[in-house]
Amino acid sequence: MSPLHDDNRPAYSRRSHEIAPFHVMSLLARAQALEQAGHDVIHLEIGEPDFTTAAPVVRAGQAALAAGHTRYTAARGLPALREAIAGFYRSHYLLDIDPQRILVTPGGSGALLLASSLLVDPGRHWLLADPGYPCNRHFLRLVEGGAQLVPVDAGTAYQLTPELVARHWNEHSVGALLASPANPTGTVLSAAELSRLSQSLHARGGHMVVDEIYHGLTYGMDAASVLQVDDSAFVLNSFSKYFGMTGWRLGWLVAPPAAVPELEKLAQNLYISASSIAQHAALACFQDEAMAIFEQRREAFRQRRDFLLPALRELGFRINVEPQGAFYLYADVSAFTDDAQAFCAHFLETEHVAFTPGLDFGFHRANQHVRLAYTQEIPRLQEAVERIARGLRTLVR
């Protein structure tokens, strides 16, 4: 038998008990149970594009299987794929990134695992915006570091600023993790803002790590890469969002040259290599045929945002900053409730519309916010708005 804690829980590691689950997963499980019972549930809770992987990428994956490309690759990834990613930086950002600086990883999560393992010692921490993507702080806990959560709001577009860095930096700080576009808010940092943050962090001897996983999914503008203003930054990216390869689990990390040998050593030990089949498939992402599909899908997401944003505002949801990227709306629901989790449960149970409570994204006013993902076609979004309007009329505060 396993040893037990005093509260009769198995005596597993402290870090395991201190890493919180995704609250949205229990909500998803309930939504799926409702569907199995015959109800039509509209899913606005999961941060996953509704589009399947583009046909050119699927064909490339099938060809890789047929050709027997099923063995380990080098820990840093296929040279051809690293060259293709470098070409993407050249064509989209006018940056000359040495492919040797690029490590292909098992999803963006693999890139975060490498960066946090390299840069954070036990007891040290990064500054993170609150609200933000919850796995970021959990990865830091996994490596025995921590997250200094900085409350942010619409006044700073839910982003860190040099002033906030100065206010919250302390002797345990070693860097900051930024996200542009951000999850759950969809806000974007300009090149000038990234430059000022870089200067603020470097003045304190800190590392700058930027999550650019939603690059490509911006509307009416293109997001600046931090590498355009700070060549020493660490950049996390992924084939999941813009490239639509969520289930293939493939991402990448761009690092300063001096960091690459250490990161390669970590990759060899932590996961050996990313999926060889996924890497061969991803080569097709940079073909003109695939890029045209991705751009069509970006336009579809823009149209969905432009429908859902004013529709929710008209119902009384407060969305004080228009998201410029990703596919989320982070809405203040304090006009209706001070318990976002119960609010979400109400709409799931009564109207069969699923969206995510703010509790999944941090602590700052979390009970007064929800996130809705516009990862459904506009007719489904229209139906969701009608159901939400009906559910508001039956809501008991």
Side-chain angles (χ1 to χ4, degrees):
M1 294 180 62
S2 298
L4 299 177
H5 285 295
D6 291 342
D7 58 3
N8 291 323
R9 291 180 302 161
Y12 301 139
S13 69
R14 181 180 298 173
R15 76 175 64 85
S16 176
H17 288 299
E18 291 180 357
I19 291 175
F22 269 153
H23 294 87
V24 70
M25 298 314 294
S26 60
L27 188 144
L28 175 62
R30 177 57 183 156
Q32 291 170 336
L34 287 168
E35 287 177 317
Q36 291 170 1
H39 298 288
D40 173 35
V41 177
I42 301 177
H43 291 276
L44 307 180
E45 78 278 36
I46 299 298
E48 181 174 28
D50 54 319
F51 302 108
T52 57
T53 300
V57 181
V58 173
R59 290 197 299 268
Q62 292 169 332
L65 280 169
H69 295 309
T70 58
R71 302 176 69 85
Y72 295 133
T73 70
R76 282 188 289 157
L78 287 174
L81 183 55
R82 291 189 284 114
E83 290 276 0
I85 294 169
F88 184 71
Y89 279 98
R90 192 175 305 114
S91 62
H92 281 70
Y93 304 103
L94 304 180
L95 289 170
D96 186 16
I97 302 296
D98 186 346
Q100 299 299 317
R101 295 175 54 188
I102 299 168
L103 293 95
V104 179
T105 59
S109 297
L112 179 58
L113 178 61
L114 290 183
S116 56
S117 298
L118 178 74
L119 301 176
V120 183
D121 278 320
R124 310 305 293 273
H125 63 244
W126 286 341
L127 272 60
L128 275 66
D130 179 0
Y133 181 56
C135 286
N136 294 338
R137 67 179 187 269
H138 297 155
F139 268 107
L140 292 170
R141 176 64 188 89
L142 186 68
V143 299
E144 300 297 331
Q148 176 69 29
L149 297 181
V150 178
V152 294
D153 56 27
T156 65
Y158 298 99
Q159 295 281 0
L160 296 181
T161 65
E163 294 75 21
L164 289 171
V165 169
R167 189 180 312 157
H168 291 272
W169 192 270
N170 62 41
E171 68 274 17
H172 302 297
S173 305
V174 294
L177 174 58
L178 310 164
S180 177
N183 176 8
T185 61
T187 62
V188 175
L189 288 162
S190 69
E193 290 168 328
L194 287 166
S195 180
R196 288 194 293 271
L197 281 160
S198 171
Q199 293 168 22
S200 177
L201 287 165
H202 288 312
R204 293 167 171 81
H207 296 287
M208 189 168 189
V209 186
V210 183
D211 171 349
E212 297 186 353
I213 285 171
Y214 290 93
H215 268 227
L217 291 177
T218 52
Y219 314 111
M221 49 90 72
D222 289 321
S225 173
V226 67
L227 295 172
Q228 292 171 294
V229 300
D230 182 356
D231 194 53
S232 68
F234 291 78
V235 174
L236 319 174
N237 212 319
S238 172
F239 285 94
S240 290
K241 309 302 182 179
Y242 177 69
F243 298 104
M245 294 181 68
T246 50
W248 299 77
R249 305 310 304 132
L250 199 65
W252 74 83
L253 172 66
V254 183
V260 171
E262 291 299 309
L263 290 166
E264 182 175 22
K265 177 179 65 179
L266 289 167
Q268 291 166 344
N269 283 276
L270 291 171
Y271 53 77
I272 301 177
S273 68
S275 161
S276 59
I277 300 158
Q279 291 185 65
H280 282 279
L283 286 167
C285 287
F286 305 104
Q287 298 173 358
D288 290 344
E289 180 186 5
M291 293 298 294
I293 294 170
F294 303 146
E295 286 300 300
Q296 291 170 1
R297 293 176 175 183
R298 168 158 67 161
E299 174 59 17
F301 279 125
R302 183 197 63 78
Q303 292 175 7
R304 296 172 184 186
R305 180 201 65 171
D306 291 351
F307 164 74
L308 190 59
L309 177 62
L312 290 177
R313 281 174 168 169
E314 188 172 340
L315 292 179
F317 288 72
R318 296 172 183 159
I319 306 169
N320 296 318
V321 180
E322 179 174 303
Q324 299 165 296
F327 35 69
Y328 307 116
L329 298 175
Y330 193 63
D332 181 341
V333 292
S334 58
F336 311 117
T337 186
D338 57 5
D339 187 343
Q341 197 160 5
F343 187 76
C344 291
H346 166 77
F347 285 96
L348 178 59
E349 297 295 337
T350 64
E351 302 299 335
H352 306 135
V353 180
F355 45 91
T356 309
L359 188 61
D360 254 352
F361 307 105
F363 304 95
H364 181 55
R365 299 191 64 217
N367 281 327
Q368 299 171 350
H369 286 81
V370 299
R371 188 195 73 177
L372 301 97
Y374 42 93
T375 50
Q376 297 285 331
E377 294 181 345
I378 286 180
R380 290 290 279 171
L381 295 179
Q382 291 172 328
E383 173 68 19
V385 169
E386 292 173 6
R387 295 188 192 182
I388 292 170
R390 186 172 60 212
L392 287 173
R393 291 193 292 269
T394 63
L395 183 68
V396 177
R397 187 180 173 106

